């Protein structure tokens, strides 16, 4: 069962503030032709073009309103927990059930998303795309990865992570689901890149939720 924080909780205020701060920091930045797939293991996607105009909220709203149960992981989840580091991509996790594919296709189509598979080959934004273990997406406001437990996650039980995700309701009434702090830390330490280890340490130093 997921944990629901209800109301306008601090996680949404943190996300709103992060989006505003990123907009201010990237105003006037010259594009270099880089995407979230080109980021390095230290700075991360905040240094890529995908950070310019980045705002995950329209897609997250479309997903919830379409009835898709999708969980935020990666640094947006970190920001929801209180991380101060900015990011330029959105990492999503869902359970991969066939019953959810239509809702995901509807939500991504609602924000005019372009999809590619894990080999960067374009795929139509339809139910068949979400039969894949992972798709990469790009919209006017956010780019990133949408993954399922079918990927090789090693010893990580990401299906359980998703099942026990936290839920927060925005002032407008739509919900955001995101990994619990301990699960996010576990995932970061398993990946082990410099930015992951740095962000895991930051998470561990935050006050209890």
């Amino acid at each position: 069962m997921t944990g629901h924080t209800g109301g306008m909780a601090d996680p949404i205020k943190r996300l709103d503030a992060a989006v505003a701060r990123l907009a201010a920091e990237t105003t006037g930045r010259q594009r270099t032709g880089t995407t979230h797939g080109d980021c390095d293991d230290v700075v991360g996607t905040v240094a890529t073009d995908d950070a310019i105009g980045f705002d995950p909220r329209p897609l997250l709203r479309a997903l919830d309103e379409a009835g898709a149960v999708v969980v935020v992981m990666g640094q947006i989840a970190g920001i929801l927990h209180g991380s101060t580091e900015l990011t330029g991509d959105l990492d999503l996790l869902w359970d991969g059930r066939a019953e959810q594919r239509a809702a995901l296709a509807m939500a991504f189509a609602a924000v005019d998303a372009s999809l590619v598979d894990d080999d960067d080959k374009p795929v139509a934004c339809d139910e068949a795309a979400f039969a894949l273990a992972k798709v990469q997406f790009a919209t006017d406001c956010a780019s990133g990865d949408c993954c399922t437990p079918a990927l090789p996650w090693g010893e990580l039980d990401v299906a359980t992570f998703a099942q026990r995700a936290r839920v927060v309701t925005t002032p407008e009434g739509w919900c955001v689901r995101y990994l619990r702090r301990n699960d996010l830390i576990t995932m970061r330490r398993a990946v082990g890149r410099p930015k992951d280890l740095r962000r895991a340490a930051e998470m561990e130093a935050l006050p209890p939720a």
Side-chain angles (χ1 to χ4, degrees), residues 109-160:
V111 293
D112 296 322
S114 299
L115 306 180
V116 299
D117 64 18
D118 214 14
D119 295 318
D120 292 326
K121 295 179 180 178
V123 294
C125 188
D126 57 19
E127 292 186 44
F130 295 97
L132 300 172
K134 170 185 172 183
V135 293
Q136 301 176 69
F137 60 88
T139 78
D140 287 342
C141 294
S143 300
D145 302 326
C146 187
C147 307
T148 74
L151 286 175
W153 294 96
E155 296 182 1
L156 294 175
D157 185 4
V158 298
T160 299

Side-chain angles (χ1 to χ4, degrees), residues 2 63-64 66-71 93-97 100 103-104 162 177:
T2 56
L63 286 163
D64 186 63
V69 181
V70 179
V71 175
L93 176 66
W94 66 290
D95 61 19
R97 290 182 297 119
Q100 281 219 76
L104 271 89
R177 295 168 176 82

Side-chain angles (χ1 to χ4, degrees), residues 175-188:
C175 296
V176 177
R177 295 168 176 82
Y178 60 106
L179 290 184
R180 290 182 176 272
R181 185 191 300 184
N182 286 344
D183 292 336
L184 181 59
I185 291 169
T186 297
M187 186 174 284
R188 291 211 176 285

Side-chain angles (χ1 to χ4, degrees), residues 5-181:
T5 63
M8 183 179 180
D10 284 343
I12 297 301
K13 293 180 181 178
R14 293 174 189 139
L15 180 57
D16 292 344
V19 170
R21 186 158 58 96
L22 182 64
E25 292 189 9
T26 57
T27 296
R29 180 194 287 183
Q30 296 297 309
R31 293 184 178 272
T32 60
T34 56
T35 70
H36 70 278
D38 302 313
C39 73
D40 64 34
D41 289 343
V42 178
V43 177
T45 56
V46 71
T48 71
D49 290 356
D50 282 353
I52 301 171
F54 177 72
D55 183 352
R57 295 171 297 184
L59 175 55
L60 293 176
R61 179 170 189 162
L63 286 163
D64 186 63
E65 291 182 344
V69 181
V70 179
V71 175
V72 178
M73 53 183 182
Q75 185 54 12
I76 291 297
I79 287 168
L80 290 163
H81 281 291
S83 174
T84 60
E85 285 201 31
L86 298 176
T87 186
D89 73 315
L90 175 63
D91 295 316
L92 300 171
L93 176 66
W94 66 290
D95 61 19
R97 290 182 297 119
E99 303 94 292
Q100 281 219 76
R101 293 174 190 166
L104 271 89
M106 180 187 305
F108 278 94
V111 293
D112 296 322
S114 299
L115 306 180
V116 299
D117 64 18
D118 214 14
D119 295 318
D120 292 326
K121 295 179 180 178
V123 294
C125 188
D126 57 19
E127 292 186 44
F130 295 97
L132 300 172
K134 170 185 172 183
V135 293
Q136 301 176 69
F137 60 88
T139 78
D140 287 342
C141 294
S143 300
D145 302 326
C146 187
C147 307
T148 74
L151 286 175
W153 294 96
E155 296 182 1
L156 294 175
D157 185 4
V158 298
T160 299
F161 290 0
Q163 289 169 4
R164 64 184 177 218
R166 298 192 69 181
V167 187
V168 63
T169 303
T170 70
E172 297 81 13
W174 51 277
C175 296
V176 177
R177 295 168 176 82
Y178 60 106
L179 290 184
R180 290 182 176 272
R181 185 191 300 184

